[in-house]
Amino acid sequence: MLLDACSNVKSANSLFQIVEELKLHACKENPEKPLYGGGLFKTRRGSEDSYMPSLAVHNLTKGTIYSFSVWVRVEGSNSAMISASLETEKDIYQCIGTVSAKRGCWSFLKGGFVLDSSSNLSIISFQNADGKDVDIDIASPSLQPFTTKQWRFNQQYIINTKRKLAVTIHVSDTDGRRLKGAAISVKQISKDFPIGSAIANTILDNLPYQNWFVKRFDATVFENELKWYATERDEGKVNYTISDQMVQFVRANKIIARGHNIFWENPKYNPTWVLNLTGIQLQSAVNSRIQSLMNQYKEEFIHWDISNEMLHFDFYEQRLGPDATLHFFETAHKSDPLATLFINDFNVVEKCNDVNSTVDAYISRIRELQQNGVFMDGIGLEGHFTIPNPSLMRAILDKLATLGLPIWLTEVDISKTLDENTQANYLEQVMREGFSHPSVNGIMLWTAFHPNGCYQMCLTDSNFNNLPSGDVVDKLLQEWQTGRVEGITNTHGSYSFYGFLGEYRISVKYHNRTTYSTFSLSRGRETRHFSVTL
């Protein structure tokens, strides 16, 4: 049955085309052939002909996941951020994909959309995101529809091939003879892919909250308690009392935690006294902040968000110069050489109509920092969604993945403007898309509990009974772990199963002899073989 299920998933996956990494960044002399043979555009003229910057498409249906791609070239400017939009009979979707296009060569735009209502006639248009006049040529358009079931099957195929491995356990006696009929019991004791939730100081001395949290999560991030305005409200009066207590809770329960954040580029979220500093005074305060925080919590946090939301704000670089961020990373690296250093921003993966944080803008900023010598270890995507767009989300993750850095969804939630059931539905879409992408290494939910309401989305009520979003999280946590596996070795003295990546404990019993051992599953494609001797 397991092999049949895997075969069905693999068959469904054959509908999807993989985009080469080079295509996502290259600016080519000629456009390539369209994906999926053009999909709904396949009846158009020659696949590589160029078009005026608009496309008409008929009979789009509600709820279908559409993957869109096209090659783009501009004239009249050396480069331009080109945005594709969609107008249906009832709605306007301001952005279904973007690309930083250049003059004289072709760049690849990939995105997509899901409609709220069906439309007999829709128009896809292209425009310069900054509003300036520029000539736009497009070629090789493709629009491929997928049902929700097909999309889910593809996600499951990726999970089966990237998040799980086949395992064969061999049982022998001390003379090397394989033992038929040995009883195998396997339990997963830790996961390779962390899924966690933010916590706030509300968890301190709140046993029901603590019990609810520890039962589910092995990873967390402090919502506000490490931020500069929380640890040094008044100049020179550093206070880690609350964050120390939260670290103690994390330690006691063997929970990993992200460090969020050292600097926030938005002046609104800096201590008031910092806003009045300039030049040498500000530089001195910055150095003290990094050294104090990272010495206090050296080797405590798996990541540090060094610079938060730099695509949207530049408080420090305005005052300390263009190398301010480089200095942050250098000083942090010296303070804790083993720390994993991230940048973190919003509206990169959530949507594409924020010109400050398109995927190309993020990639450009990361490359600029790397070229200037920044020690950067990971990419943070906040993930504050209203209505998720799975095909756009995947296209953005694919493009970011070409940088070769770990990607984390760091602050996932769904807007409180939506009802609880809709929030839960959309949360599941986001988590499935994140977990099934090979370059995403972890997911943090921005769902710290507050009695008067969470930031955008709560997982429980005030009595710690699950809300619909909490039920979704529990369902996925259960789905994405290997339950207890039990069986008997075959005539070859072997027992096989598929398991999620992570650490395992195994017991093997044969007649009156029992032995215990551990093993781990890490990324790869080959079946893992483990031998046990009784």
Side-chain angles (χ1 to χ4, degrees), residues 224-278:
N224 296 312
E225 288 75 11
L226 288 174
K227 293 169 182 172
W228 201 354
Y229 66 73
T231 62
E232 193 176 359
R233 189 175 301 275
D234 298 313
E235 185 174 4
K237 297 180 180 179
V238 180
N239 187 340
Y240 294 121
T241 302
I242 298 298
S243 52
D244 280 349
Q245 293 176 30
M246 294 174 71
V247 166
Q248 185 56 40
F249 166 75
V250 166
R251 288 176 183 167
N253 291 285
K254 300 179 181 178
I255 296 169
I256 60 173
R258 301 189 73 249
H260 176 79
N261 55 56
I262 298 181
F263 295 109
W264 199 339
E265 291 287 350
N266 188 344
K268 179 180 177 181
Y269 297 108
N270 277 278
T272 303
W273 61 270
V274 170
L275 303 181
N276 299 320
L277 301 179
T278 57

Side-chain angles (χ1 to χ4, degrees), residues 170-179 182 492-493 508 513 531-534:
H170 306 281
V171 181
S172 306
D173 63 17
T174 54
D175 294 323
R177 291 186 293 265
R178 292 287 171 84
L179 300 177
H492 303 287
V508 181
R513 290 173 286 170
S531 296
V532 177
T533 301
L534 279 169

Side-chain angles (χ1 to χ4, degrees), residues 182-203:
I184 306 288
S185 179
V186 180
K187 181 181 180 181
Q188 187 174 13
I189 55 178
S190 69
K191 302 174 185 177
D192 177 74
F193 189 100
I195 296 176
S197 170
I199 57 174
N201 57 28
T202 53
I203 203 165

Side-chain angles (χ1 to χ4, degrees), residues 203-215 249 253:
I203 203 165
L204 300 175
D205 301 319
N206 189 333
L207 189 58
Y209 184 12
Q210 293 177 7
N211 289 338
W212 180 90
F213 189 92
V214 171
K215 181 180 178 181
F249 166 75
N253 291 285

Side-chain angles (χ1 to χ4, degrees), residues 9 28 37 60 175 218 228 235 239 261 269 291 310 319 338 389 473 489:
V9 170
K28 299 198 170 187
L60 299 180
D175 294 323
D218 56 6
W228 201 354
E235 185 174 4
N239 187 340
N261 55 56
Y269 297 108
Q291 292 162 2
M310 65 164 60
R319 289 157 178 78
L338 297 180
N389 181 343
V473 171
T489 54

Side-chain angles (χ1 to χ4, degrees), residues 60-64 66 68 83-98 112-119 121-127 351-353 387-389 391-392 426:
L60 299 180
T61 55
K62 175 183 178 180
T64 298
Y66 291 95
F68 173 69
S83 171
S85 60
L86 173 70
E87 183 173 358
T88 70
E89 292 170 323
K90 293 183 179 180
D91 300 295
I92 296 177
Y93 298 80
Q94 293 181 339
C95 185
I96 62 171
T98 62
F113 55 89
V114 180
L115 297 188
D116 296 325
S117 58
S118 297
S119 178
L121 175 63
S122 303
I123 303 295
I124 298 174
S125 303
F126 301 85
Q127 49 278 321
K351 54 186 179 180
C352 63
N353 61 345
I387 301 176
N389 181 343
S391 52
L392 177 66
Y426 287 163

Side-chain angles (χ1 to χ4, degrees), residues 317-370:
E317 294 204 345
Q318 276 191 358
R319 289 157 178 78
L320 298 175
D323 292 333
T325 303
L326 171 61
H327 176 74
F328 294 166
F329 275 86
E330 286 179 338
T331 307
H333 181 70
K334 290 176 183 177
S335 298
D336 188 354
L338 297 180
T340 302
L341 309 182
F342 271 63
I343 59 173
N344 191 51
D345 224 304
F346 65 93
N347 282 354
V348 178
V349 73
E350 298 94 320
K351 54 186 179 180
C352 63
N353 61 345
D354 184 340
V355 68
N356 293 310
S357 54
T358 64
V359 62
D360 284 300
Y362 209 15
I363 288 172
S364 177
R365 187 69 171 116
I366 291 169
R367 284 180 167 167
E368 177 188 350
L369 291 169
Q370 289 177 325

Side-chain angles (χ1 to χ4, degrees), residues 35 74 120 163 165 194 283 378:
L35 293 181
V74 298
N120 292 323
R163 305 287 183 205
L165 276 180
Q283 188 65 66

